[in-house]
Amino acid sequence: MLNIALIGCGRIGRMHGALVHAHRDARLAVVHDPVAAAAQALAAETGATVADSAGAVFADPGVDAVIVASVTATHADYIEQAVAAGKPVLCEKPIDLDIRRVEACRTAIAGTDVPVQIGFNRRFDPGHQALRAAVAAGEVGRLVQLLVTSRDPEPPSDEYLLGAGGMIRDMTIHDFDLARYVLGGDEVVEVFAHAGALIDPERGARLDEVDCAMILMRTASGAQVLINNARQAPYGYDQRLEAVGPQGMLQSTNRTPHGLTRFTADATAAGAGYEPFFIERYAQAFRAQLDSFLQTARTGGDAEVGFEDGRRALLLAEAAYASLQQGRAVAVEAAP
C-alpha cells in the first residue's frame, strides 16, 4: 500500500484525490493546498491529514509518492523538490509556461532515477491506445496523415484564461502530446499555425487570446499532422483521432454515456450527447494513468509519460506561437 500525498485540491486535485482514495493499492495520506479550506474538505472526505506547507509534504518520511495538481507556476519547483526528496511524482501539465524554466528543471533533475510522470492522461484512453497500436502494427501501412480534433464544450472564465498562458500552451499541449504518442518516435520537425478569436472576437481582443486554432505539422518522415481546436462546441466535448495510410483509415471516436440510438419522425440516428467535459470523457484514462504511476512508484524505472514528453510538447507549443508571430512555418528546436 503506497502512501500518496496530493498538492493542490482544486477541481483536478479533488479528482486525483478521489481516485487515490478509491484505489486498492494506495492511500491518500496527506493533502496540501494554499487554500486551507480546500485541503480540509478533501481530508474530511478521504481521511487524509493536512500538511501546512508543500515543504512538509516532501519532508514527510511517511509519504511514498506525490501527485502535483497545483497552479502551473509551482510545477517545476515541486518536481525538483520531489526528486530531491527521492519521491516519485506525477505532475499535471504543463511543466511550466516558460520553456527556459523547463530547461532549468531538466538540468536540476538530470542524472537521478526518481520517476517523474507528466499528466498527459489522454495517452491512457483505450480508444487512443488501440489506434496507436494499430498504427504501430502497420494496419494502414505507412502513416501519412494524423488528424487530432479537440473542442471544449464552452469557454473557460476570464480568470482562468488570464492565468493559463495561452490556449496553445494550455489546451493544445494535450494534442501535441497525443500526436507524438501516435507518431511513435517520428518527431515533428516543422509547425505552421493559424489561430484567432473567431468565437468571441470582443473577448479575444480584451484578453489578447484566441479561441480557435488549426495547426499543421510535418514530421521527420514527411507525415502530415493536423490539430484543430475550438474553445466552444455546443454539442459537447469533442475528442477524436484519425490516422490515415495507403491501406486504410483508423478512428478513435467520441464517447457517450450509452449507445442507444433513436430513429423517429423528428430525427434519424439520434444518440446520446457526448460526455460533458474532460473528467467524464477521460475517467477511464485517469484511472489507468494512476495505475501506471503507482506501478512505476513501486518498481522504479521510467514513467510511461516522462519529463521529456512534457518538454517536447511545450517545444511544439513554442513553435506554434513563433509561427503565429512570423506568419510562416517554423522549425522545431528540440536539441537534446
Side-chain angles (χ1 to χ4, degrees):
M1 181 73 68
L2 289 175
N3 289 323
I4 307 299
L6 172 68
I7 301 178
C9 301
R11 176 175 60 175
I12 189 116
R14 291 194 301 272
M15 182 214 66
H16 283 300
L19 289 176
V20 173
H21 180 59
H23 203 282
R24 65 182 182 278
D25 295 327
R27 182 174 74 93
L28 188 63
V30 180
V31 296
H32 169 70
D33 194 287
V35 179
Q40 290 163 359
L42 184 57
E45 295 170 7
T46 62
T49 60
V50 177
D52 59 8
S53 69
V57 170
F58 297 116
D60 188 339
V63 169
D64 298 311
V66 180
I67 297 175
V68 174
S70 50
V71 296
T72 297
T74 64
H75 288 181
D77 289 344
Y78 290 162
I79 288 172
E80 291 175 4
Q81 291 177 52
V83 170
K87 299 184 189 300
V89 56
L90 167 59
C91 182
E92 276 298 331
K93 62 79 192 170
I95 298 169
D96 196 85
L97 296 176
D98 188 336
I99 191 63
R100 294 169 297 182
R101 180 66 185 95
V102 174
E103 298 292 4
C105 182
R106 184 179 185 231
T107 299
I109 66 174
T112 66
D113 58 1
V114 179
V116 176
Q117 183 167 325
I118 304 302
F120 287 127
N121 62 286
R122 297 180 191 182
R123 289 190 182 215
F124 296 92
D125 177 74
H128 298 346
Q129 288 184 330
L131 182 142
R132 180 183 188 264
V135 168
E139 291 189 19
V140 297
R142 181 175 61 88
L143 182 66
V144 296
Q145 290 183 325
L146 177 64
L147 288 74
V148 184
T149 296
S150 179
R151 300 175 185 141
D152 285 353
E154 60 185 21
S157 66
D158 284 9
E159 180 183 14
Y160 179 90
L161 290 177
L162 288 169
M167 187 179 84
I168 292 172
R169 292 188 189 92
D170 170 56
M171 178 178 176
T172 317
I173 197 166
H174 271 295
D175 306 306
F176 289 136
D177 180 71
L178 197 54
R180 291 189 62 249
Y181 173 65
V182 175
L183 290 167
D186 185 15
E187 294 289 354
V188 172
V189 297
E190 187 178 74
V191 176
F192 191 18
H194 289 277
L198 306 180
I199 295 170
D200 191 340
E202 182 281 327
R203 190 186 196 207
R206 176 164 47 84
L207 300 179
D208 189 25
E209 175 62 301
V210 302
D211 53 29
C212 292
M214 288 277 188
I215 301 171
L216 180 63
M217 307 190 293
R218 178 175 60 84
T219 73
S221 76
Q224 300 169 347
V225 181
L226 177 64
I227 295 172
N228 73 86
N229 290 147
R231 282 289 198 188
Q232 185 175 43
Y235 54 89
Y237 189 46
D238 192 358
Q239 297 286 298
R240 290 173 282 141
L241 283 178
E242 185 172 288
V244 181
Q247 297 176 23
M249 178 183 71
L250 302 162
Q251 290 183 331
S252 177
T253 59
N254 279 297
R255 306 185 97 182
T256 60
H258 60 75
L260 177 65
T261 305
R262 292 181 171 88
F263 296 80
T264 69
D266 298 321
T268 301
Y274 298 146
E275 293 287 6
F277 207 18
F278 68 95
I279 288 179
E280 297 85 1
R281 166 62 178 84
Y282 288 111
Q284 190 171 355
F286 278 116
R287 290 193 294 270
Q289 174 183 252
L290 177 61
D291 287 340
S292 175
F293 175 60
L294 295 176
Q295 177 65 21
T296 302
R298 281 192 297 266
T299 63
D302 295 332
E304 281 194 64
V305 192
F307 186 94
E308 185 64 10
D309 295 307
R311 170 181 175 265
R312 286 185 176 266
L314 188 60
L315 284 170
L316 294 180
E318 293 302 306
Y321 277 115
S323 174
L324 289 175
Q325 292 167 358
Q326 299 173 30
R328 63 178 181 87
V330 301
V332 179
E333 302 295 334

